[in-house]
Amino acid sequence: MLRAYLDSTGPARKVVRYRRGDVVFSQGDPGDDVRYIQKGAIKLSVLSRIGKEAVVAMLGPGDFFGEGALAGQPVRIGTATAVVPRASVLIIEKEAMVRLLHDEPAFSDRFISYMLTRNMRIEADLVDQLFNSSEKRLARTLLLLARYGQANPQRTLPKISQETLAEMIGATRSRVNFFMNKFRKLGLIEYNGGLKINSSLLSIVLHD
């Protein structure tokens, strides 16, 4: 029942489809709903007062975003952009989302589990930025994008630029290019019309 709800439309919810480069919502837009990714990938970014953009997350199928609306956040604090040719996003109005969380235990459990997992991911990202090299940060980011260790990993990633990867790990594009070539030569990743992530890439993250 939960899966059917998240895959369908109905009162107070609709599905919107986006193409690569389409803006799902912009920083400063009213925050009056919660979004759920049915298909594709969404980039979340934040623009500073001096015009510098930082990518804060890459999200895929099964991920929620825009949940700040539930905590009384009046406007979006970042911009969401589609990064694949076709993405489908379920838009759930704030009031409907609140009712779901109150009335549907299965939905509430799913959402709370997602938020706890995301909070742990944010903490791990902070530790990663503070203590790990850019090579390890890149390897970890690629594994996370491929959903390594989850029930349904996607070894072939949607197209993502080296500029975006550089923004995500806090490095330069030239450093990302250097490490991507290194990973490819070691057989840790492959280019075959898409970017294929092999589980052996984990060795970079675990190496001291």
Side-chain angles (χ1 to χ4, degrees):
M1 180 178 176
L2 173 59
R3 184 79 235 177
Y5 181 92
L6 292 172
D7 287 340
S8 65
T9 59
R13 70 186 192 276
K14 63 179 179 179
V15 173
V16 180
R17 293 173 175 80
Y18 301 92
R19 296 181 179 180
R20 180 185 287 125
D22 286 349
V23 174
V24 180
F25 58 67
S26 296
Q27 188 170 327
D29 283 353
D32 49 14
D33 55 53
V34 176
R35 313 291 174 102
Y36 173 83
I37 303 174
Q38 294 180 337
K39 177 182 178 182
I42 300 295
K43 175 181 74 173
L44 296 182
S45 60
V46 177
L47 194 66
S48 73
R49 292 182 179 179
I50 61 173
K52 184 176 181 180
E53 184 185 44
V55 176
V56 295
M58 290 289 291
L59 306 176
D63 287 340
F64 292 91
F65 62 107
E67 67 281 352
L70 299 175
Q73 197 175 77
V75 298
R76 308 295 189 187
I77 61 171
T79 297
T81 309
V83 293
V84 293
R86 287 183 292 275
S88 298
V89 176
L90 178 68
I91 302 174
I92 308 173
E93 293 180 9
K94 177 181 175 179
E95 291 75 13
M97 187 72 177
V98 171
R99 286 196 301 271
L100 275 171
L101 293 172
H102 279 293
D103 301 337
E104 299 292 338
F107 185 90
S108 181
D109 289 347
R110 166 81 175 270
F111 186 74
I112 291 172
S113 176
Y114 169 76
M115 292 308 300
L116 290 173
T117 300
R118 184 160 163 183
N119 283 344
M120 289 188 291
R121 159 91 179 270
I122 291 172
E123 290 179 358
D125 285 346
L126 178 58
V127 172
D128 192 38
Q129 287 284 347
L130 291 173
F131 298 110
N132 287 334
S133 66
S134 53
E135 180 179 21
K136 282 190 177 183
R137 294 201 303 273
L138 177 60
R140 178 175 176 271
T141 296
L142 292 173
L143 289 165
L144 287 171
L145 291 173
R147 298 176 176 265
Y148 178 81
Q150 296 187 25
N152 297 301
Q154 54 178 92
R155 293 181 61 192
T156 300
L157 300 181
K159 185 176 180 181
I160 179 170
S161 69
Q162 291 188 355
E163 288 86 353
T164 296
L165 287 171
E167 291 172 357
M168 292 180 72
I169 69 169
T172 63
R173 182 190 175 283
S174 61
R175 291 296 286 168
V176 168
N177 183 62
F178 173 81
F179 291 127
M180 291 291 280
N181 285 330
K182 176 182 176 180
F183 295 165
R184 181 175 55 81
K185 290 175 182 178
L186 292 173
L188 307 178
I189 63 174
E190 302 172 34
Y191 294 107
N192 54 354
L195 176 58
K196 183 178 179 182
I197 308 300
N198 295 325
S199 58
S200 54
L201 183 61
L202 187 62
S203 63
I204 298 294
V205 177
L206 298 178
H207 180 69
D208 292 327

